[in-house]
Structure formats: C-alpha cells, structure tokens
Amino acid sequence: MSKLTIVLLIKGRENFTKRWLDYMSKINYQENILIGDGDPKTKIKKLIKNKRYSKLKIKYLNYNNKNYNDYYFMMYDLVNRYVKTEYVRFCDNDDFILQNQQKNLIAYFDKNTKLASVGDFQIRFEILNNNKLYGDKLYFFFEGIHRFSERFSEKTIKEMFKNYQGLFYNIFKNKHMKKILFEIYKLNFSDLELRDFYFKLRLLSMGNTTYLKQSSYIRQHGTSQTSSNFYYSENFFDKDIKKDTSKLIYKISNVYKKKFNKNPKKIEKIIINSYKNYLNIVIAHNKRIFLYPRYFKLKNIIFEKFRFIFLFLRKLQNLSFNSDLKKLYRSNKISFDKEIILLKKFIQTGD
C-alpha cells in the first residue's frame, strides 16, 4: 500500500505534462499520483486515458484558476479531500522524480517520525536548444546547499532569508500540509515569495526538517512559468507586499509565542529585518541589467554570435557538478547513477 501521494500542479504546457507522464510510465512509478489542473480548457483529462499510463495510479481534478487565491484553494482542496496517504509531495510538470532516491526519503521518514519534513538536494538541468522538451545539449548543476537540517531558532529564521534553500519539493506529513495550506489559502497572499517564506516559517513550528545527502528531485532550468521576462520592481506595483508582510508577521509571531513561548515583538523584528535584508540582495541582483545595460547587451550578442563559448562554460559547470556530486554521495551512488543515466537518455531522446 502506498504511503506517499505526489501532487502534480499544472496549468497549460500540455507537452511538458505528457513528457512527465511518459517518464513516470517508463520507470513504472509505484506511488499515488494526484493531478490538479488549473486550466479549464485542458486536454490532459483525455491524455491520461491513454493505455500507456494505465499502470499509473492517477487521480485527476480540474479547476478554473484565475489568481493566486484560486491556486491556493486548488492546493488545499487537493490535499484536504483527496490525499489519503501518510505523506505528500508536490511536483511540477517540467521536473522529474528519481524513484529509488525518493524511497530513501520515505524510509528515513518512517524511522524518524517526529520530523516535520524530509528532503534532499535538488539538481537542475538545462537543455540548450530551441526545444525545451528533449535534446543532446544537456547540462546539470546543483542548486544551493546551505543546510543539512532546519530546526526552530532565531538563527534559523535569519538563515532562511539570508541563504534561501528550497523546501517546497520535500516530503511532508499529510496532516501538517493540510493545516499549512488552509492557512495560506485564508491569508490569501498576493506574492508568491512571501507565501513560500510563510510555508517555511510555519513548518518550523511543527518539527525539524532533515536533508539527506542525495537527490531525488531534478528540476528543469529556464522553463518556469513565473520567472520569464519578469522585473522584480513589478512586485511593488502588482502586489501588496506591505499587507502580505504584515499578515505573515502577525500570524507567525503568535504561533511561535504559543509553541515556543517567544516574545512576539522580538520575532516580528527578526522576521522584518531578515526580509528587508533579503530584499536588498534580490533588488541589487535584479537591477544589474539597468545599471550595466551595455554589459548585458554585449553578453546577449556573445551568446547569439559565439554560442560555443557559452556551451564551453556550461561544460565546465557540468564537470564541477560531477565533482560536487561525488562529495555529496558518500554511499548508495550506484543506485543514483542508474536512475540519472536512465533520465539523461530519456531527456535526450524521449525514449
């Protein structure tokens, strides 16, 4: 009997969903799959009836998502009504799961039941051609590795803002996820980043998180639906950052008061100062293109006219990734190698 439900959140990009389903079918994925589709004009409902996916344990739900509140409701509704397993994990349709590495996470969670979450370190890959679905020019690199564990402390709160580390694709207890998603839905944040910070801060009150020295979640770089052609300054015009921040601080500081007997005013100050420092770094990074337009124009020209230089840099980055991978995997790398080789072949050829 399955202990885990993986929740696939989609809207549009049907070719990516088909690729994801093809891969899951190829590896004979054993856990439950719950698909939440925010596109009312989707073709996915028809697609999953293909005999190719008949062995996958799929449940499909369609929603009409027009804004963040609809998206939060879809997430909460999916978990609250349809996830019956002990654990839950989220996934995007341009990303991939390594099944055996994921089994390691479940086994670790089973042995350490007081944990709130178990994760590992995400790997990104990039396909450098016009077709983002498949291709031979395939390069891998790690996302940032900053912490192997997260437990409540004032230092951890500061670290979460200073050195961001992905948490959303960890494995969580179903009961915790229902509570967090309901709160996010009711708070109705306008900003995705603040929603993510609330998610991380709230989880601290439910227990510790451990990151295993492995990788089970492979993310595709350059295909995000939320980051393309986006200037960070738009956040301050299109969203209500001040209101979102106030809601987050008020809720989290009161939760920490009840759970850890912490002074709410002190927690509020730590969070607001940490978030300000985060914004300073992000804004400085995003305004480079305006401060140095000639540099970025030249960079784009080099990328278009002398693409071999960019490819060479990616190859060096890929070599560095392989070196870092050996350091991370002190054991059980044989199992990982088998899965990543299969994934590489699938991404390169579609078979």
Side-chain angles (χ1 to χ4, degrees), residues 232-249:
Y232 201 82
S233 57
E234 293 177 12
N235 266 13
F236 302 98
F237 293 92
D238 299 340
K239 300 168 186 177
D240 195 339
I241 302 297
K242 185 176 181 180
K243 186 176 180 180
D244 283 350
T245 306
S246 297
K247 289 189 289 188
L248 181 150
I249 289 172

Side-chain angles (χ1 to χ4, degrees), residues 4-24:
L4 173 73
T5 298
I6 189 162
V7 180
L8 182 69
L9 304 170
I10 61 175
K11 185 175 183 179
R13 304 198 306 176
E14 291 162 349
N15 288 338
F16 280 100
T17 301
K18 182 181 183 303
R19 182 184 70 169
W20 189 89
L21 289 168
D22 287 347
Y23 170 77
M24 295 301 248

Side-chain angles (χ1 to χ4, degrees), residues 267-278:
I267 295 298
E268 288 178 13
K269 187 176 180 180
I270 291 171
I271 293 175
I272 193 65
N273 287 337
S274 298
Y275 182 53
K276 284 179 180 178
N277 290 335
Y278 167 80

Side-chain angles (χ1 to χ4, degrees), residues 320-333:
S320 175
F321 159 75
N322 288 326
S323 176
D324 292 339
L325 188 66
K326 290 178 182 178
K327 295 176 184 176
L328 183 69
Y329 266 89
R330 297 296 175 90
S331 62
N332 202 32
K333 191 171 182 292

Side-chain angles (χ1 to χ4, degrees), residues 194-211:
L194 278 165
R195 183 213 71 173
D196 287 346
F197 280 124
Y198 180 88
F199 190 104
K200 292 169 73 68
L201 292 168
R202 185 65 172 95
L203 191 70
L204 280 180
S205 70
M206 297 173 171
N208 301 337
T209 290
T210 293
Y211 296 89

Side-chain angles (χ1 to χ4, degrees), residues 147 149-161 200-201 203-209 252 256 259-260 262 266-267 270-271 274:
R147 296 174 295 280
S149 65
E150 292 175 344
R151 63 183 63 222
F152 174 77
S153 71
E154 294 175 9
K155 181 180 178 182
T156 299
I157 295 172
K158 295 173 185 176
E159 273 291 312
M160 283 184 166
F161 286 93
K200 292 169 73 68
L201 292 168
L203 191 70
L204 280 180
S205 70
M206 297 173 171
N208 301 337
T209 290
I252 292 298
Y256 288 177
K259 180 71 176 181
F260 305 112
K262 287 290 182 178
K266 186 176 183 181
I267 295 298
I270 291 171
I271 293 175
S274 298

